[in-house]
Amino acid sequence: MVGALLGSVWAPAEAGARPGYRARLLRLVNEIRDNHGLRRLDLNLRLSRYARKHSWSMARNRQLFHSANLYTVVRRYGARTWGENVGRTTTLRQCVRLWMKSPSHRSNLLNRRFRKTGIGVVRSGGWLWITQIYYG
């Protein structure tokens, strides 16, 4: 398997994180949402810092896992519903393709109740470690 994924519903720049990954992933996700007649997601920069830290943690541990305290993190933004997709792939486009093929990831990506997102992408060990948090 080239990539790995997990999906569930409910700082300063670091080495290994290239500028532009976050913006490119947001563009890819919003293109898919546009194609499905859904509202585009707005980026929450503060939540993106949290998502980047989570991606770093996954890369350091060399395994995918979800945020243990996601509700605590998103409730400060008034979230009524939330979800998280994580993945490890070689390209952002590959990650989004895999998310769309997985029912739980697709459900998060296309959830019409989600309005905001935080995105963290880290390159480590030849992989992109990706965390995308959604809420509405």
Side-chain angles (χ1 to χ4, degrees):
M1 177 181 208
V2 176
L5 303 170
L6 283 175
S8 86
V9 175
W10 49 258
E14 294 100 353
R18 278 195 189 156
Y21 279 146
R22 181 176 56 207
R24 288 198 314 243
L25 183 58
L26 181 62
R27 188 187 78 243
L28 289 169
V29 166
N30 277 333
E31 284 174 4
I32 289 171
R33 289 178 65 89
D34 284 344
N35 291 338
H36 285 83
L38 300 170
R39 182 179 187 267
R40 297 172 72 83
L41 297 172
D42 295 322
L43 187 67
N44 178 322
L45 291 174
R46 183 185 236 176
L47 185 58
S48 292
R49 284 192 292 274
Y50 174 87
R52 187 179 328 127
K53 288 178 186 175
H54 183 76
S55 292
W56 268 115
S57 184
M58 292 189 303
R60 272 193 311 275
N61 288 292
R62 294 189 174 132
Q63 67 179 12
L64 295 173
F65 52 89
H66 284 286
S67 301
N69 60 341
L70 192 54
Y71 171 68
T72 304
V73 172
V74 297
R75 75 178 178 183
R76 69 183 66 146
Y77 306 113
R80 293 184 177 175
T81 185
W82 56 90
E84 178 181 62
N85 285 351
V86 298
R88 182 194 73 189
T89 61
T90 54
T91 70
L92 295 174
R93 196 171 292 284
Q94 177 189 39
C95 185
V96 171
R97 274 196 305 268
L98 290 170
W99 281 349
M100 287 301 287
K101 289 181 180 182
S102 160
S104 61
H105 293 88
R106 182 183 177 94
S107 175
N108 279 340
L109 205 146
L110 298 178
N111 188 324
R112 62 182 66 252
R113 295 181 299 164
F114 294 153
R115 301 283 190 233
K116 304 266 186 175
T117 189
I119 297 172
V121 181
V122 171
R123 179 175 285 285
S124 176
W127 295 98
L128 293 176
W129 297 84
I130 303 161
T131 302
Q132 184 167 20
I133 301 168
Y134 311 86
Y135 70 95

